[in-house]
Every structure is written in structure tokens, then in C-alpha cells.
Amino acid sequence: MGISGTGSVAGTARDGWSSRTAFILAAIGSAVGLGNLWRFPAEAGANGGGAFVVFYIGCVLLIGLPILLSETLIGRHGQASAPESVRRVALQSKASPAWGLLADLGVLGSFLILSFYCVVGGWVLYYVGIFAVDVVQSGPFGGAFESMSAEEIEALLPDLFANGPLMVGLDALFLGITLYFVAKGVSGGIEWVAKWMMPAFFVLLVAITIYSAVGGAFEETVAYLFTFEWDKLTGPVMLAALGQAFFSLSLGLACMITYGSYVGRSVNLAGTSTIVAGADTAVALIAGLCLFPIVFAAGLPANAGPGLMFQTLPHAFQSMPGGPLVGLLFFVMVAVAALTSSVSLLEPPVAWMIDRFRIVRPVSTGIVAAGAMVLGALSALSFNTMGWFHPLGFIPLFEGQGMFDVLDGLTAKLFMPIGAILTAIFVGWIADRRLVDSENGLGGILHLFWLLLVRFLCPLALLGILIAGLFPDLFGG
Ligand code: TRP
């Protein structure tokens, strides 16, 4: 079997993106998700606004983008599932195939994130549902949930948490939709969703942002997000920004290696990586400009963290004209973004299973999704009873945490930084230089700059988040 892209299941040509644009849309679809719409504004709000945002942009440019290029180039060269791609590059570089473990870890990490990402996807579907009901019951143009008190609106989320069967059902629904598209394959399923959903997403995002800028507290938002105050740039804020940049760009977990493996030879990876990172960052910033004006106009606080989108925002829609309709469109937009990301979390384990065990795609997809469903149900139920399920509770890092928090912490604090550090070392120091040079699409001074970042800055900065994540006390966080 050569490296030119044939035969992942014996005898059949390997599936792949039908064009460069398809790859860019799918990769943006992977990157743009709950991370941008839910996690970014929540993190920015909880970490003081401007300082976080500026540092975040620096992290994307200097650390995220070089790693994104590194991951896609491994995949494109390997033309196989992520672990197999790393092994092929290692063997051609006369290095140990054990480097493939970095992507095995990533495949496992993707699977773990998938399991709880779909739980949150289920919450989003729930909000789509309750806003749709509100549109029908009280018409699209008044305020949202007019007959409810602020406390009742904010209680919608804890009420959902208290309803275990409903949460598990919504998780299954979201996972089922994800499964459907991944089972249909790369060009026929994943690409199809990206091609239709991403343009729809952008239209909704722009429309709602204009609505929000006109009707909400836009100036206050701009001041909040872009006023840079040095003294707010503390250790925990920097780490939160770096972690967020990684999560948002889908890095460290074999996801972009897998997507890169479906890219044709003629595509310039440096160019596409820059477009993907740029679009992802733009969407995160626009999401801030879309959400905060509505929140500020209602006189609500920015620092509600995870509750910002699911509690503060629905409350804020109460005082906006057209609240029910815009709220509905907002959560539809979030659902669309989450779906194009969840397919990218399901694909790495599926591709691995197809490669490793020669099991056909629909069956592989079903097996992985079934596993994610079991773990997801445990996550969902860990909210219900406030974390009765403490699988790793004996480890100090996870003391007293439910399944959801354990999986979130495990992936964000261990898997992602470790995967990314190993990727940087592998591409920067281990892989054959000619191989890397011929794949990365960079020339001259830019190439040198990229190499310096991948060799030195990326591993060191990432080691920083790893240590800080494991020993928060060191950083006063
Ligand atoms: N980037 C996605 C988001 O912002 C989430 C995601 C998809 C992801 N694939 C990933 C995160 C791989 C880490 C690794 O919502």
C-alpha cells in the first residue's frame, strides 16, 4: 500500500474531500463549534475581557496555527487514519513507529470529548425546542418567555439537569444525527454537512450580530472585549486563553490529522491552515459581539461562565423585541455549529477502526457511537444527581467531580496538551526535514519562523499549560 491515497479497506479507493474548498469548509466546521459560541464568550467574560482576548489572538497565531499546520501535514502525507499516518511519517523518517501512540491518544481523546460534547449538543436542542414553543405560543415578535420570571428562566437549565431521562434522550438524538452523517462517509456525509451548514451558519451569525449591534449595548461590548489592561493578564488568564485556543482550533486530538489525510496533494496546507485559523478566530470574536450586547442591554453580568449562553442569554431575550424568534434562530445556529464539530470528533475513532480492524464504515461508526452513548449517558446523569458517579474521584485532580467534569478535565488538561507537545516535537525534531518541507507549503523566512515556533515556543508554552493544569495551586488559580 503506497502513500498516495489508496486502499484503507482492502481494494477500495480511499474516500477524501472533493475539493480544496470542501476541505476548508469541513475544517472550519470542525473548529467552529460550541467552543466559539459557548466557551469563548464564557471564558472571556469570566477572565476579564480584553486581556484574555488579546492574549488569545496571540496564542492562535504563534502556537495554534503552527500546530494546525503540523497536524494537517502529517495527515496529508500519511493518507491514513491518524495513528497510521504518524507511523508512516515516522518510518519514512527512520524514527520509531511508536510515535503513532501520540495519535492513538488523540483518537481516544476525540472519543471522550465526543461523549460529553453531544450531551451539551442535547442541551442546545432543548433550547431550540423551548424557543420554538415560545414562538408558537406567544408569537415571534414580543419578548421571550414573557410570562416567566427571571428566576424561572434561569431555572430552565437546572430543571433540565434534574431530568435524567430527557438529557440522555437529547444526547442520543444529537449523537444519532452525528452518526448519520459520519456513516455516509467523508465526501458524501461530512463534506455534505459542511457545505450546506457552514454557509447557513455564517448567514445566521451575521444577521443576529447586526440585530444585536443595532438593538443592544454594542459600544459597551466593544470596550469590554477590546480594552487591553495589562494588570488583568495573570497566569490563570493566560492559561485559560491558551487552552481555549487549542480547544477552538480542534488541536491535539488527531482531529486535524484525520481531516488532513483526506486532502489532495495539490493543496497548499499553509494557506488553508491560515484561512481555517482566521475564520475560527473571527467567529469567536463575532460571537462575542453577537452575545454581549444583548446581555449588557438587559443589564446582566458578563461573567456567568458556562451559564452565560443557557441562562443569562435566554433571560436577556426577554427584553429584546423579537426575542422568541431571534432566540430560536440563535440556538439553531449553535446546533448547526456543534454538529459540524461533533462529526469531526466521531471521525478520528471511526477512521482508526476502519484502518485497524478493517471494519466497514457504517459498522465502525455504530460501534464508536454506541460507546460514546454509554459514556455520554453517565456524563448526563452525573449532573442529575450532582455527580454520584466518581470514576476517578480518588485522584486529587478529580476530587469530588462528576463524570462530565472528569472527562472535560482529563481531555483539556492532559490529552490535548500532551498530544500537541508530542506533535510539535515529532514534526519539529523527529520527522525527516525534506518530507516536512515538501508538505508544508512554506518558503524562505516564513518557513524558518514556523520551524522556530514548532521546535521551541510550542512545546514550551504547552508544557506550561500542562503543568499549570495539573498543579493549579502553583499558579494561584
Ligand atoms: N473545536 C470545536 C469547538 O470549538 C470542538 C472540537 C472539535 C474539538 N474537534 C475537536 C476540540 C478536537 C478538541 C479537539 O467547539
Side-chain angles (χ1 to χ4, degrees):
M1 186 157 46
I3 48 159
S4 54
T6 47
S8 83
V9 170
T12 47
R14 197 164 183 268
D15 200 357
W17 312 118
S18 64
S19 66
R20 174 178 180 268
T21 312
F23 165 58
I24 292 176
L25 284 177
I28 294 177
S30 166
V32 170
L34 294 168
N36 305 59
L37 302 171
W38 175 53
R39 211 166 177 274
F40 177 82
E43 291 278 311
N47 287 293
F52 175 91
V53 173
V54 172
F55 194 77
Y56 173 84
I57 295 174
C59 290
V60 168
L61 286 175
L62 295 178
I63 302 166
L65 182 53
I67 301 271
L68 177 59
L69 175 54
S70 305
E71 291 199 9
T72 46
L73 85 78
I74 295 175
R76 205 253 305 264
H77 196 83
Q79 296 286 317
S81 71
E84 182 57 25
S85 289
V86 177
R87 261 173 231 125
R88 287 180 183 178
V89 173
L91 286 172
Q92 281 184 31
S93 310
K94 307 205 165 41
S96 161
W99 279 99
L101 279 172
L102 81 88
D104 287 316
L105 191 74
V107 166
L108 177 61
S110 289
F111 169 73
L112 296 179
I113 294 196
L114 173 73
S115 75
F116 67 83
Y117 202 86
C118 290
V119 174
V120 184
W123 306 350
V124 175
L125 294 181
Y126 178 72
Y127 277 81
V128 169
I130 56 177
F131 271 100
V133 169
D134 198 43
V135 168
V136 173
Q137 280 179 352
S138 43
F141 300 117
F145 307 117
E146 266 171 337
S147 60
M148 290 166 78
S149 70
E151 290 73 34
E152 284 171 325
I153 297 177
E154 301 209 347
L156 286 167
L157 189 65
D159 286 350
L160 172 62
F161 287 177
N163 189 343
L166 179 60
M167 263 228 276
V168 173
L170 291 165
D171 173 21
L173 179 59
F174 195 86
L175 185 60
I177 301 171
T178 306
L179 175 149
Y180 174 78
F181 288 110
V182 173
K184 289 179 78 111
V186 178
S187 52
I190 299 177
E191 177 176 322
W192 188 90
V193 205
K195 244 175 19 202
W196 289 100
M197 301 264 175
M198 289 321 286
F201 169 82
F202 279 106
V203 170
L204 283 171
L205 182 68
V206 170
I208 300 175
T209 307
I210 293 174
Y211 161 88
S212 164
V214 173
F218 193 67
E219 271 168 46
E220 199 183 329
T221 301
V222 172
Y224 180 72
L225 286 177
F226 299 107
T227 308
F228 185 69
E229 294 163 80
W230 263 114
D231 52 330
K232 285 199 178 161
L233 198 62
T234 58
V237 169
M238 292 196 271
L239 295 168
L242 183 51
Q244 173 59 23
F246 260 71
F247 187 85
S248 192
L249 291 171
S250 304
L251 295 179
L253 296 182
C255 195
M256 289 299 180
I257 303 182
T258 308
Y259 272 26
S261 78
Y262 302 124
V263 178
R265 291 247 78 89
S266 61
V267 172
N268 180 311
L269 293 178
T272 52
S273 300
T274 310
I275 295 173
V276 172
D280 183 61
T281 307
V283 172
L285 295 176
I286 297 173
L289 292 177
C290 171
L291 208 140
F292 286 118
I294 301 175
V295 170
F296 287 148
L300 293 169
N303 60 357
L308 186 65
M309 193 167 93
F310 293 109
Q311 291 175 298
T312 313
L313 192 68
H315 177 184
F317 275 124
Q318 198 170 35
S319 46
M320 296 293 278
L325 181 64
V326 182
L328 174 63
L329 292 176
F330 181 88
F331 281 99
V332 167
M333 168 179 91
V334 179
V336 162
L339 179 65
T340 55
S341 296
S342 64
V343 295
S344 82
L345 289 162
L346 179 51
E347 178 61 18
V350 167
W352 169 79
M353 194 167 263
I354 295 173
D355 253 18
R356 179 84 175 65
F357 302 108
R358 314 260 154 207
I359 301 173
V360 292
R361 174 173 285 272
V363 179
S364 298
T365 313
I367 295 173
V368 177
M373 190 59 230
V374 172
L375 270 187
L378 291 174
S379 288
L381 294 174
S382 77
F383 280 90
N384 186 21
T385 45
M386 297 337 276
W388 56 268
F389 192 64
H390 292 174
L392 299 173
F394 58 93
I395 302 173
L397 182 64
F398 299 117
E399 219 169 82
Q401 293 185 353
M403 185 72 171
F404 186 97
D405 294 319
V406 166
L407 290 179
D408 184 35
L410 198 63
T411 46
K413 290 181 179 159
L414 284 176
F415 282 54
M416 286 174 53
I418 292 177
I421 291 171
L422 292 176
T423 303
I425 296 176
F426 181 67
V427 171
W429 299 95
I430 307 292
D432 183 78
R433 288 264 59 81
R434 273 163 315 179
L435 182 161
V436 171
D437 293 357
S438 69
E439 288 288 351
N440 71 6
L442 287 168
I445 187 91
L446 272 180
H447 180 87
L448 196 68
F449 187 55
W450 173 76
L451 202 59
L452 283 175
L453 294 176
V454 170
R455 285 192 156 177
F456 300 103
L457 184 70
C458 295
L460 289 175
L462 289 162
L463 198 62
I465 14 178
L466 182 61
I467 293 173
L470 292 180
F471 309 103
D473 298 345
L474 286 180
F475 291 77

